[in-house]
């Protein structure tokens, strides 16, 4: 009969729920305050294991804003498109009803189920029963959280070349699987799938791998990637053991170079076997190289998100010191933005650290002198964490990026350092106060920061939250809300995705497509389409028979006539093939290779054509007549034929078309010879 309504004077209110234990959450429902004009229309939901470390729930499309209510009594339920586990929930109101004196008002309910877990942060070895594993179907699930960008989660291999590896590389998960390679047919059975992004955020991520035969589904949180394994085999044959969390034997033939996993693992199930549960029970199937900890040692991280059009953080500094030390970490997608600004004491100028074209720009402003400007780093707007370490004194400034102490940027121009009494991060406040004012021409920084040190003193976010130290606006404290809008890639046809904090663009150059997501083909579907558009001269043209479909454009020769255009594709059987040793039981098989086009692309062209012709030239020496008593045999003579077929495209599912030629000259009334040929899967075009 009531509800939560914060004070209207609270500029950044939030409602936090401690669930007491971890739950697997699937939905949230909200109402307004009972019998009032108070309800929330939009909000953001944060979740985490700790009340000081959060991750935002991201909806499909990369939006973190959930729709709320439109009156006080009706329930608005939002079902999460992927379930997540959390012990703490925080709701941040973004907009609410203001008519008739309305304000923030919330009643909420969470939907989920209890979540039991085992934790581990060291490697274990699972010994397969009977020292081997042969499966047609696999179901593997594992949860992890880490601060590291790289780490080996699972690895096992077999002496026949079978392989199963799950590894973290640059914050993304890679699944390598091979059901076996064929030396005879020169087929490499290894298949690689990748999913997820920004997984080094110390929050739990949920991985599921399901395989039936060659079909594999790979799911990371809410993203699912499917593939058909290369090769012809359907069973996964692994020998001896499976490594979980890392490998202790360095001499395995297919071992990746990724270091062992550092972080926390839980609920590692391999085809119904609870690996961590067996390790805790000291099961004989489990080998533990070192003492294992069955609890995650949480690292205290308190990141902040600069997410608004007017965001900034202002903190005090130590006044009039002759040396300056500033250190912090950041991650962002933006090309430009203000990272840090401070004005020196005694009117000696100012120093600015900015992100520009993916580099760190250092600018020193001195009264009456030309400004000093230098750049360091490369592609630092890649979404990963990067550290910035600045140390300065009179006539010397050193800037180190990502702790690469071997090649720091050093500025030795004449200037004087006397530290100011305040530092600005992410932007400058909008104020008319010209004394020690923050001034910059750079855009606001949008992204995340953490581990801020000023003169070797770490910034305490808890004190900032209590507004006892510093000022800030439009910041989310305790969470990094960065979103990867380019994973999975929204650009079609291998278009390149580039993103900023709140948007993405697709670069379609050299793809053969155009449009916002590289969907529309820039080429015509056939030579006839070029003729109808005004191209009347013969020559080489690039066509795209399926237009916006998955097949790539390819080059053909267009023979333009006044009434019709012919689309010509050449292959390697036009100039003649010698057929030898053929019979009805064992005919000669010859592959047909097209120039500039695959079989699927040729089939697509045939399907869109009204009329098709195909020519093959083959010859047979010492061919025999039909094997019947009334026929005679001719020897020592060459017979050749150019075969022409007019039909629709073949639907036989072959990757490389071939022709099957059994040449048998016959005698008809002692005068005429004819040739019979069966051009399977090829002369249907």
């Amino acid at each position: 009969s009531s509800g939560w309504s914060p004070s209207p004077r609270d500029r950044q209110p939030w409602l936090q729920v401690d669930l007491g234990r971890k739950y697997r959450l699937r939905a949230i429902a909200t109402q307004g305050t009972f019998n009032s004009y108070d309800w929330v229309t939009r909000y953001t939901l944060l979740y985490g294991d700790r009340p000081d470390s959060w991750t935002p729930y991201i909806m499909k499309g990369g939006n973190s804003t959930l729709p709320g209510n439109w009156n006080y009594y009706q329930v608005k339920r939002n079902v999460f498109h992927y379930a997540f586990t959390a012990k703490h929930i925080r709701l941040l109101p973004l907009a609410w009803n203001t008519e008739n004196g309305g304000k923030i008002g919330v009643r909420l309910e969470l939907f989920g189920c209890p979540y039991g877990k085992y934790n581990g942060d060291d490697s274990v070895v699972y010994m397969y029963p009977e020292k081997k594993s042969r499966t047609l179907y696999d179901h593997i699930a594992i949860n992890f959280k880490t601060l590291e960008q790289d780490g080996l989660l699972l690895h096992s291999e077999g002496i026949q070349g079978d392989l199963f590896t799950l590894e973290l590389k640059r914050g993304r998960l890679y699944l390598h699987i091979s059901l076996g390679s064929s030396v005879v047919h020169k087929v490499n059975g290894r298949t690689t799938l990748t999913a997820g992004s920004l997984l080094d955020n110390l929050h739990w991520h949920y991985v599921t791998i399901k395989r039936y035969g060659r079909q594999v589904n790979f799911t990371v949180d809410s993203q699912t990637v499917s593939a058909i394994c290369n090769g012809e085999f359907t069973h996964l044959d692994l020998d001896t053991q499976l490594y979980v969390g890392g490998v202790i034997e360095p001499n395995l033939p297919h071992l990746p170079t990724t270091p062992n996993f550092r972080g926390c693992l839980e609920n590692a199930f391999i085809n119904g076997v609870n690996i961590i549960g067996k390790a805790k029970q000291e099961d004989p199937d489990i080998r533990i190289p070192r003492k294992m900890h069955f609890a995650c040692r949480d690292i205290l991280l308190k990141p902040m998100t600069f997410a608004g059009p007017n965001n900034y953080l202002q903190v005090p500094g130590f006044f009039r010191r002759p040396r300056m030390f500033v250190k912090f970490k950041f991650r962002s997608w933006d090309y430009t933005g203000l990272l840090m600004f401070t004005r020196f004491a005694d009117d000696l100028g100012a120093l600015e650290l900015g992100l520009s074209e993916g580099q760190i720009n250092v600018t020193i402003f001195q009264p009456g002198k030309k400004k000093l400007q230098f750049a360091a780093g490369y592609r630092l707007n890649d979404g990963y964490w990067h550290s910035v370490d600045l140390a300065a004194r009179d006539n010397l400034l050193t800037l180190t990026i990502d702790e690469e102490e071997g090649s720091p940027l050093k500025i030795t121009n004449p200037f004087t350092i006397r530290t100011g009494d305040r530092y600005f991060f992410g932007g400058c406040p909008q104020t008319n106060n010209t004394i020690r004012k923050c001034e910059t021409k750079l855009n606001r920084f949008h992204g995340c920061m953490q581990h801020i040190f000023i003169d070797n003193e770490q910034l305490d976010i808890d004190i900032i939250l209590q507004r006892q130290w510093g000022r800030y606006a439009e910041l989310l404290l305790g969470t990094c809300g960065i979103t990867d809008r380019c994973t999975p890639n929204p650009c079609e046809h291998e278009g390149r995705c580039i993103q900023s904090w709140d948007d993405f663009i697709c670069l379609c150059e050299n793809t053969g497509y155009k449009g916002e997501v590289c969907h529309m083909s820039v080429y015509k579907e056939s030579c006839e389409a070029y003729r109808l558009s005004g191209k009347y001269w013969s020559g080489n043209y690039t066509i795209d028979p399926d237009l916006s479909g998955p097949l790539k454009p390819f080059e053909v020769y267009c023979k333009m006539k006044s009434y019709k255009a012919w689309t010509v594709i050449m292959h390697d059987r036009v100039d003649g093939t010698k057929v030898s040793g053929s019979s009805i039981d064992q005919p000669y098989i010859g592959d047909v290779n097209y120039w500039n086009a695959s079989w699927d692309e040729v089939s697509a062209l045939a399907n869109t054509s009204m009329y098709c012709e195909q020519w093959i030239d083959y010859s047979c020496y010492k061919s025999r007549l039909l094997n019947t008593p009334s026929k005679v045999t001719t020897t020592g003579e060459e017979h050749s034929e150019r075969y022409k077929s007019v039909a629709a495209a073949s639907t036989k599912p072959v990757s490389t078309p071939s022709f099957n030629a059994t040449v048998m000259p016959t005698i008809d009334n002692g005068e005429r010879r004819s040739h019979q040929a069966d051009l399977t899967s090829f002369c249907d075009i």
Side-chain angles (χ1 to χ4, degrees):
S1 63
S2 181
W4 170 69
S5 287
S7 169
R9 295 189 300 273
D10 191 345
R11 292 182 296 170
Q12 288 193 328
W14 42 263
L15 172 63
Q16 185 170 306
V17 180
D18 182 353
L19 299 173
R21 58 173 294 184
K22 287 183 70 172
Y23 282 83
R24 188 79 164 164
L25 298 177
R26 300 188 177 276
I28 183 174
T30 58
Q31 276 181 301
T33 301
F34 177 73
N35 197 21
S36 71
Y37 292 100
D38 305 338
W39 61 84
V40 171
T41 57
R42 291 186 294 113
Y43 62 92
T44 290
L45 193 68
L46 309 179
Y47 63 91
D49 286 353
R50 304 167 54 95
D52 52 14
S53 179
W54 305 96
T55 186
Y57 167 72
I58 305 297
M59 302 174 64
K60 288 184 177 179
N63 188 8
S64 61
T65 300
L66 280 78
N69 302 94
W70 52 94
N71 54 41
Y72 81 87
Y73 57 91
Q74 288 181 295
V75 174
K76 171 58 179 176
R77 176 171 173 146
N78 288 298
V79 178
F80 307 136
H81 70 95
Y82 66 95
F84 56 85
T85 60
K87 182 182 177 184
H88 299 271
I89 292 291
R90 179 178 286 189
L91 183 145
L92 302 178
L94 300 179
W96 50 88
N97 177 51
T98 57
E99 297 181 0
N100 300 314
K103 58 184 184 301
I104 297 174
V106 173
R107 288 177 284 175
L108 70 84
E109 187 167 3
L110 296 166
F111 300 85
C113 53
Y115 184 73
K117 65 184 180 68
Y118 291 103
N119 291 336
D121 60 356
D122 214 334
S123 60
V124 300
V125 181
Y126 170 55
M127 312 298 294
Y128 294 125
E130 302 178 359
K131 303 298 183 182
K132 64 180 180 179
S133 171
R134 177 176 172 83
T135 56
L136 176 65
Y137 171 80
D138 289 303
H139 186 180
I140 297 168
I142 189 169
N143 305 338
F144 74 92
K145 69 176 180 178
T146 181
L147 276 176
E148 303 293 329
Q149 292 186 6
D150 305 287
L152 183 62
L153 291 167
L154 300 172
H155 180 75
S156 184
E157 53 189 67
I159 60 174
Q160 301 182 60
D162 292 38
L163 173 71
F164 182 86
T165 301
L166 180 66
E167 60 178 335
L168 188 66
K169 294 174 62 176
R170 296 283 288 169
R172 305 185 69 183
L173 270 182
Y174 288 79
L175 172 64
H176 310 284
I177 186 169
S178 174
L179 304 180
S181 300
S182 175
V183 179
V184 177
H185 297 92
K186 297 181 180 181
V187 175
N188 184 0
R190 180 163 174 158
T191 304
T192 298
L193 294 81
T194 180
S197 180
L198 308 177
L199 302 178
D200 56 335
N201 58 1
L202 205 61
H203 289 283
W204 287 108
H205 299 284
Y206 312 98
V207 184
T208 303
I209 302 166
K210 294 183 179 181
R211 181 188 70 88
Y212 188 85
R214 295 172 57 205
Q215 174 69 43
V216 178
N217 292 334
F218 179 34
T219 301
V220 179
D221 295 333
S222 62
Q223 181 188 359
T224 299
V225 179
S226 300
I228 303 295
C229 291
N230 296 330
E232 301 174 351
F233 303 105
T234 58
H235 284 75
L236 181 62
D237 296 287
L238 303 173
D239 297 320
T240 309
Q241 55 202 5
L242 169 74
Y243 298 92
V244 181
V247 175
I248 56 176
E249 288 87 351
N251 57 350
L252 297 176
H254 301 290
L255 181 65
T257 57
T258 306
N260 286 357
F261 176 77
R262 293 179 58 194
C264 292
L265 298 177
E266 68 177 16
N267 286 6
F269 286 90
I270 311 297
N271 293 328
V273 178
N274 188 341
I275 302 297
I276 299 179
K278 279 179 168 286
K280 190 173 183 180
Q281 298 168 7
E282 299 182 355
D283 191 284
D285 291 341
I286 299 294
R287 183 160 57 96
I288 304 176
R290 296 178 296 272
K291 180 177 175 58
M292 190 173 186
H293 303 278
F294 291 96
C296 280
R297 295 190 292 267
D298 277 338
I299 301 174
L300 187 59
L301 289 179
K302 296 182 179 179
M304 61 187 74
T305 305
F306 295 81
N310 300 305
N311 54 229
Y312 75 92
L313 170 66
Q314 175 187 325
V315 294
F318 298 94
F319 192 54
R320 301 197 73 233
R321 289 190 176 182
R323 295 175 181 268
M324 174 188 294
F325 299 96
V326 176
K327 185 178 181 180
F328 60 92
K329 290 185 176 181
F330 77 94
R331 69 191 311 175
S332 178
W333 298 115
D334 284 0
Y335 276 87
T336 62
L338 177 67
L339 294 172
M340 189 274 291
F341 180 93
T342 183
R343 192 172 293 278
F344 299 144
D346 303 331
D347 295 328
L348 293 175
L351 185 145
E352 177 186 87
L353 281 180
L355 190 63
S356 178
E357 301 300 322
Q359 292 184 304
I360 300 290
N361 275 6
V362 183
T363 306
I364 299 177
F365 303 92
Q366 303 172 94
K369 298 181 181 179
K370 184 179 180 180
K371 68 180 180 181
L372 302 175
Q373 193 166 20
F374 303 88
Y378 174 69
R379 292 187 66 178
L380 301 178
N381 60 322
D382 56 4
Y384 297 108
W385 283 111
H386 297 284
S387 64
V388 180
D389 194 343
L390 182 145
R393 57 179 174 83
D394 289 352
N395 307 323
L396 176 63
L397 183 145
T398 302
L399 181 67
T400 304
I401 307 296
D402 291 336
E403 301 179 354
E404 295 181 1
E405 298 180 356
S407 58
L409 170 68
K410 291 187 177 181
I411 300 174
T412 57
N413 296 61
F415 54 84
T416 303
I417 293 290
R418 294 295 182 271
T419 57
D421 62 350
R422 64 194 70 185
Y423 292 79
F424 300 90
F425 292 88
C428 292
Q430 296 177 341
T431 175
N432 294 325
N433 184 8
T434 58
I435 302 176
R436 302 190 183 94
K437 184 179 179 182
C438 174
E439 295 179 307
T440 182
K441 295 182 179 179
L442 294 174
N443 299 330
R444 306 275 174 164
F445 169 77
H446 291 134
C448 304
M449 288 189 186
Q450 67 180 9
H451 292 167
I452 299 177
F453 288 82
I454 297 175
D455 293 335
N456 295 323
E457 294 287 338
Q458 185 171 5
L459 198 63
D460 193 331
I461 292 182
D462 291 334
I463 298 179
I464 295 177
L465 276 170
Q466 299 168 9
R467 301 188 183 276
Q468 298 177 0
W469 193 38
R471 299 168 53 198
Y472 66 92
E474 299 181 10
L475 257 65
L476 295 177
L477 299 177
T479 182
C480 179
I482 190 170
T483 301
D484 189 349
R485 289 176 167 79
C486 289
T487 302
N489 189 359
C491 308
E492 300 179 19
H493 301 107
E494 300 180 2
R496 183 184 171 197
C497 178
I498 295 180
Q499 60 185 312
S500 62
W501 175 255
D502 55 0
D503 199 4
F504 73 90
I505 60 173
C506 292
L507 301 182
C508 307
E509 288 82 359
N510 302 320
T511 65
Y513 298 86
K514 60 184 178 179
E516 291 187 355
V517 293
C518 309
H519 179 71
M520 297 178 292
S521 178
V522 300
Y523 302 109
K524 302 294 184 182
E525 63 268 30
S526 66
C527 294
E528 177 67 9
Y530 277 110
R531 188 188 71 84
L532 294 176
S533 67
K535 308 287 186 181
Y536 299 117
W537 52 91
S538 299
N540 292 329
Y541 289 79
T542 299
I543 66 171
D544 190 355
D546 68 339
L547 294 178
S548 297
L551 299 179
K552 294 181 179 180
F554 57 96
E555 190 176 87
V556 299
Y557 181 80
C558 291
K559 185 183 294 185
M560 300 296 190
K561 302 292 185 179
S562 59
Y563 61 94
K564 185 180 294 185
W566 290 92
T567 302
V568 181
I569 306 175
M570 301 299 293
H571 58 76
D572 59 354
R573 298 292 182 177
V574 174
D575 295 332
T577 297
K578 293 182 178 181
V579 178
S580 61
S582 65
S583 67
I584 295 177
D585 296 330
Q586 293 182 332
Y588 173 86
I589 304 296
D591 293 335
V592 180
N593 298 307
Y594 296 95
W595 297 353
N596 302 327
S598 67
W599 175 238
D600 290 337
E601 291 161 354
V602 173
S603 299
L605 175 62
N607 287 331
T608 59
S609 301
M610 296 178 61
Y611 178 83
C612 298
E613 292 182 357
Q614 176 120 276
W615 291 85
I616 290 178
D617 187 359
Y618 63 91
S619 58
C620 184
Y621 292 92
K622 297 182 179 181
S623 59
R624 51 180 292 187
L625 297 176
L626 290 177
N627 190 18
T628 61
S630 60
K631 303 296 182 182
V632 297
T633 302
T634 62
T635 60
E637 185 176 352
E638 175 185 348
H639 304 281
S640 64
E641 178 173 350
R642 290 179 60 85
Y643 188 88
K644 177 178 178 180
S645 169
V646 181
S650 169
T651 58
K652 185 175 181 180
V654 292
S655 57
T656 303
S658 62
F659 69 91
N660 178 335
T662 304
V663 183
M664 294 165 290
T666 63
I667 302 296
D668 186 7
N669 296 328
E671 296 179 354
R672 189 177 61 189
R673 291 175 180 171
S674 64
H675 296 272
Q676 298 176 1
D678 176 19
L679 306 185
T680 61
S681 81
F682 178 74
C683 62
D684 284 338
I685 294 183

